[in-house]
Amino acid sequence: MKIDEINRERIKNLKKEKVFMKLGGGDDRLRAQNIKGKMTVWQRIEYLFDPGTFNEVGGFVELRNAGFGLENNKTAGDGVVTGFGRINGQIVYTAAQDFTVLGGSLGEMHGKKIANIMDLAIQNGAPLVMLNDSVGARIQEGISALSGYGEVFFRNTKASGVIPQISVIMGPCAGGAVYSPGITDFIAMVKSTSNMFITGPEVIKTVTGEEVSKDELGGPDIHMELSGVVSYVGDDDESTLDWVKRLLSYLPSNNLETPPVFDSGDAGVIDEIPQENLVPSKAAKTYDMKQVIESIVDKGSFLELQAGYAKNILIGFARLEGYPVGVIANNPSELAGCLDINAADKGARFVRFCDAFNIPLLTLVDVPGFLPGTDQEYNGIIRHGAKLLYAYSEATVPKMTVILRKAYGGAYICMCSKHLGADFVVAWPGSEIAVMGPKGAANIVFKQEIKSADDPEKKAEECEKAYMENVTNPQYAAAMGYIDDVIEPGETRKTIINHLSALVGKSVEMPKRKHGNIPL
Ligand code: HXC
């Protein structure tokens, strides 16, 4: 055979092989994925990346351990597709597990492939999206499988705060495998087809005798509502990947870049309802904080995260004239907007993400205080609440705060007050800023006068009013320089945008240290 003929033959074979390589564990297993309502790994990749932009890396890698029949199960790629492409035009790296190959189990080479793509993502400063669909450690490969996980966890930690990391759980994610997503910045799960747990139902039954189904143990609803592990639950693979694309549109590629600015069209002012009518002045009346957020940020730009968890605080990304911001807001519809353990954890982690990736913070305050009670104290509200104070204090991104109504006590300080380094704090005229609400305060400060009055009820009302006018009034805080301005609700968007445009150049040097010691 002549050289050219050899080349032609090889190219022909290569083409065939590349087509075959995309078949993973074979037609039957691929069909089974679709029957279960799951996309195959290549369908996911093609859906996630901008058309024609994906480049596979390490597609020929195969397992090199033997025993327990593994030698007959060699498949090019070893059950994970790794590579990079563009999403919204931005370079993104991925490791996508293929459940059709040995259940997407992680063996030595599978782990090495993921580690390699993570190294490239870190080196090149691009986000990493992991598509998890795996039975866990490949039992036949023993410690080689465990070493693979260890290498992945190590790199997840190294990448933390350097590149955004997103995990998408699109099937099982069992055992130690959960700790890779657990370290990443955001986790999305797919309804009906995904679950996450450290020990499965069988092990639990053996060890503790407790009987629980996979869904009750680690289904998407559990992780959205109870554990707070996930940021988002999608109805199916497509909608979950759509969410990932949307999330990425707010994020810079790495910690040295600023977030991408997109024209988000119209301003978000809700025309029919003036902002002052969105928030009732009566402190006990509730309202929809999401409407208030939407009335301030660019229309349709609010992407809420962890919507089902610790609903007393809302977090999410939004845009102001196209510029991404992280929004944190108390939610009076849940626990009257009090801060508790879960809300503090949720808020603190989000603030730290935004700070790590140069995303300015917009905090909307309506908080009556920390949730009182033994449950909170015994479970460590001191330790958890401190996280939010810590996260806001260490954040050096632009920090803007709007006090809408109540801002009482330690919770006032905690919600990005000027005392924690906020660059700009404004209050609406109807807000109350004080150690506690006027009723409680009047009952303590004027106890004797109220008790000895002819009409104690009337006297209490007068004292309350006097306290409100002289102490909780935001103009009092403004006169002391503790807030920067008192503005009409309708001026909020414009005021915040003006300040944001001045603050984007903010640069702060903190004292030199290895790292702080946030209370965990
Ligand atoms: C290798 C495995 C495997 C494993 C399943 N398979 N588990 N191969 N190692 N750990 C194979 C099956 O033989 C099957 O091969 C294919 O993967 C799909 O598995 P099924 O059981 O048919 O799938 P399904 O019915 O959907 O059930 C999924 C499942 C179940 C619920 C996840 O497979 C399961 O319970 N597996 C064990 C999970 C587990 O305990 N993993 C280890 C966790 S410990 P064929 O050829 O039929 O397609 C761990 C430690 C990590 O991960 C520690 C890191 C620190």
Side-chain angles (χ1 to χ4, degrees):
M1 234 194 252
K2 285 199 199 134
I3 295 290
D4 281 357
E5 272 177 47
I6 293 173
N7 272 342
R8 257 198 302 276
E9 190 62 19
R10 284 197 174 172
I11 289 170
K12 204 171 108 196
N13 289 341
L14 181 66
K15 279 193 171 137
K16 267 197 216 155
E17 202 172 346
K18 289 226 164 163
V19 171
F20 183 72
M21 277 160 68
K22 289 203 170 180
L23 297 180
D27 280 339
D28 289 349
R29 291 195 183 90
L30 291 173
R31 245 191 316 276
Q33 277 282 107
N34 287 158
I35 289 167
K36 280 187 221 164
K38 295 158 76 179
M39 290 166 123
T40 65
V41 72
W42 278 102
Q43 285 169 341
R44 286 169 180 164
I45 285 171
E46 273 151 27
Y47 191 84
L48 179 63
F49 285 91
D50 298 348
T53 65
F54 185 72
N55 300 267
E56 188 176 8
V57 176
F60 285 101
V61 172
E62 53 185 33
L63 65 83
R64 59 179 182 174
N65 285 322
F68 305 103
L70 271 186
E71 53 283 7
N72 307 321
N73 268 307
K74 279 193 180 175
T75 308
D78 201 27
V80 61
V81 179
T82 53
F84 68 94
R86 289 184 185 272
I87 299 177
N88 313 317
Q90 180 187 32
I91 291 284
V92 174
Y93 281 80
T94 196
Q97 292 178 310
D98 184 352
F99 190 80
T100 69
V101 177
L102 293 164
S105 56
L106 189 145
E108 180 200 13
M109 299 311 284
H110 180 122
K112 280 197 192 307
K113 279 184 72 179
I114 301 178
N116 176 53
I117 215 68
M118 294 175 84
D119 285 340
L120 287 170
I122 298 167
Q123 172 192 288
N124 302 334
L128 180 73
V129 175
M130 312 272 260
L131 306 185
N132 295 260
D133 189 359
S134 165
V135 292
R138 189 173 297 154
I139 295 164
Q140 301 92 320
E141 292 199 54
I143 192 168
S144 298
L146 297 183
S147 85
Y149 274 119
E151 295 200 11
V152 171
F153 304 157
F154 180 74
R155 284 165 178 78
N156 281 134
T157 307
K158 191 171 158 193
S160 180
V162 179
I163 51 168
Q165 299 181 84
I166 302 168
S167 300
V168 194
I169 316 299
M170 312 188 85
C173 184
V178 296
Y179 282 122
S180 171
I183 301 170
T184 61
D185 301 303
F186 304 100
I187 304 179
M189 288 181 84
V190 185
K191 214 179 233 173
S192 316
T193 51
S194 70
N195 42 60
M196 290 178 87
F197 37 73
I198 296 274
T199 45
E202 289 306 319
V203 178
I204 293 179
K205 195 172 165 198
T206 313
V207 176
T208 69
E210 186 187 3
E211 289 199 34
V212 63
S213 73
K214 273 193 290 189
D215 257 2
E216 287 165 343
L217 183 63
D221 290 346
I222 297 298
H223 289 308
M224 174 53 85
E225 284 157 32
L226 294 184
S227 72
V229 163
V230 298
S231 301
Y232 178 79
V233 176
D235 287 337
D236 49 25
D237 283 12
E238 282 95 339
S239 57
T240 311
L241 295 174
D242 285 340
W243 179 84
V244 171
K245 292 188 220 185
R246 187 162 176 224
L247 173 63
L248 282 165
S249 75
Y250 295 87
L251 313 182
S253 293
N254 58 62
N255 62 331
L256 301 178
E257 291 184 6
T258 49
V261 180
F262 288 111
D263 181 6
S264 10
D266 298 338
V269 178
I270 297 177
D271 302 328
E272 316 86 72
I273 320 169
Q275 268 164 346
E276 52 268 38
N277 291 356
L278 287 174
V279 178
S281 53
K282 238 183 162 19
K285 264 202 156 168
T286 174
Y287 60 93
D288 185 354
M289 181 58 96
K290 240 178 273 180
Q291 268 200 343
V292 178
I293 297 170
E294 279 159 5
S295 75
I296 295 171
V297 303
D298 294 355
K299 200 170 198 166
S301 73
F302 183 51
L303 179 70
E304 191 180 357
L305 304 169
Q306 291 186 272
Y309 182 72
K311 294 183 194 165
N312 39 332
I313 201 161
L314 306 181
I315 57 167
F317 295 109
R319 289 199 168 82
L320 284 167
E321 286 201 327
Y323 202 97
V325 289
V327 181
I328 304 99
N330 307 114
N331 179 17
S333 312
E334 195 78 22
L335 294 174
C338 276
L339 288 175
D340 66 350
I341 289 171
N342 293 346
D345 280 5
K346 176 177 165 183
R349 184 149 162 82
F350 181 65
V351 166
R352 296 195 98 209
F353 177 85
C354 292
D355 187 45
F357 291 100
N358 311 314
I359 299 172
L361 298 169
L362 172 63
T363 304
L364 304 181
V365 185
D366 187 354
V367 65
F370 281 94
L371 186 68
T374 49
D375 178 61
Q376 289 289 306
E377 298 289 350
Y378 294 172
N379 285 297
I381 183 66
I382 296 174
R383 184 162 49 87
H384 292 278
K387 291 180 201 177
L388 192 53
L389 283 158
Y390 190 110
Y392 269 129
S393 300
E394 73 171 348
T396 56
V397 285
K399 298 189 274 196
M400 301 171 295
T401 303
V402 183
I403 301 172
L404 310 181
R405 197 169 61 168
K406 287 172 283 200
Y408 296 157
Y412 147 71
I413 302 172
C414 204
M415 290 303 295
C416 205
S417 60
K418 254 191 126 50
H419 323 291
L420 302 189
D423 298 292
F424 177 63
V425 181
V426 285
W428 286 3
S431 60
E432 295 168 3
I433 309 167
V435 177
M436 62 171 71
K439 200 177 183 79
N443 277 330
I444 294 169
V445 178
F446 305 108
K447 193 173 168 185
Q448 286 312 324
E449 288 94 319
I450 293 171
K451 223 165 122 187
S452 55
D454 294 339
D455 183 346
E457 214 166 287
K458 195 167 160 233
K459 185 73 186 166
E461 257 175 43
E462 281 168 16
C463 293
E464 209 179 301
K465 205 164 160 237
Y467 189 80
M468 243 166 103
E469 268 162 25
N470 296 312
V471 184
T472 66
N473 190 328
Q475 274 161 10
Y476 177 74
M480 307 278 284
Y482 294 139
I483 62 172
D484 297 297
D485 205 353
V486 183
I487 59 166
E488 288 176 37
E491 295 174 312
T492 309
R493 174 177 163 85
K494 192 170 165 288
T495 308
I496 293 293
I497 287 171
N498 287 347
H499 280 266
L500 177 62
S501 64
L503 282 166
V504 286
K506 180 181 175 185
S507 163
V508 174
E509 284 284 318
M510 296 294 260
K512 221 173 157 196
R513 61 180 167 187
K514 189 171 177 193
H515 58 72
N517 187 17
I518 188 166
L520 295 173

